[in-house]
């Protein structure tokens, strides 16, 4: 749930910055908006792998030997 909210905020903010940067003919907001969209894509593709690694590592530490 939180992941979906964060992704939507990043994508909406990125699109808004790209739009405002193009409309005002300014490059920095457009680059920042594109960066936000790239971060959202990376966050979407990489986060489940990290959670799986954390779960696997935490399970190893909690099981008695």
């Amino acid at each position: 749930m939180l992941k979906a909210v964060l992704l939507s905020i990043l994508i909406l903010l990125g699109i808004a910055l790209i739009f405002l940067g193009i409309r005002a003919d300014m490059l920095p907001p457009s680059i920042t908006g594109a960066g936000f969209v790239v971060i959202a894509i990376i966050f979407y593709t990489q986060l489940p792998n990290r959670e799986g690694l954390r779960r696997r590592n935490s399970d190893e530490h909690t099981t008695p030997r």
Side-chain angles (χ1 to χ4, degrees), residues 13-53:
L13 188 59
I15 291 171
L17 282 171
I18 291 170
F19 175 74
L20 291 174
I22 290 173
R23 189 169 178 207
D25 197 27
M26 295 189 309
L27 191 58
S30 301
I31 293 173
T32 303
F36 282 167
V37 171
V38 169
I39 289 170
I41 292 169
I42 292 171
F43 183 66
Y44 179 75
T45 59
Q46 296 295 324
L47 191 59
N49 296 335
R50 289 183 186 165
E51 287 178 355
L53 288 175

Side-chain angles (χ1 to χ4, degrees), residues 1-13 36 39-41 43-45 47-48 51:
M1 176 70 180
L2 181 62
K3 178 181 169 183
V5 172
L6 290 175
L7 284 172
S8 60
I9 289 172
L10 276 174
I11 290 173
L12 289 175
L13 188 59
F36 282 167
I39 289 170
I41 292 169
F43 183 66
Y44 179 75
T45 59
L47 191 59
E51 287 178 355

Side-chain angles (χ1 to χ4, degrees), residues 45-63:
T45 59
Q46 296 295 324
L47 191 59
N49 296 335
R50 289 183 186 165
E51 287 178 355
L53 288 175
R54 286 186 191 145
R55 254 188 249 123
R56 203 174 331 146
N57 289 338
S58 66
D59 289 344
E60 290 174 2
H61 294 294
T62 57
T63 55

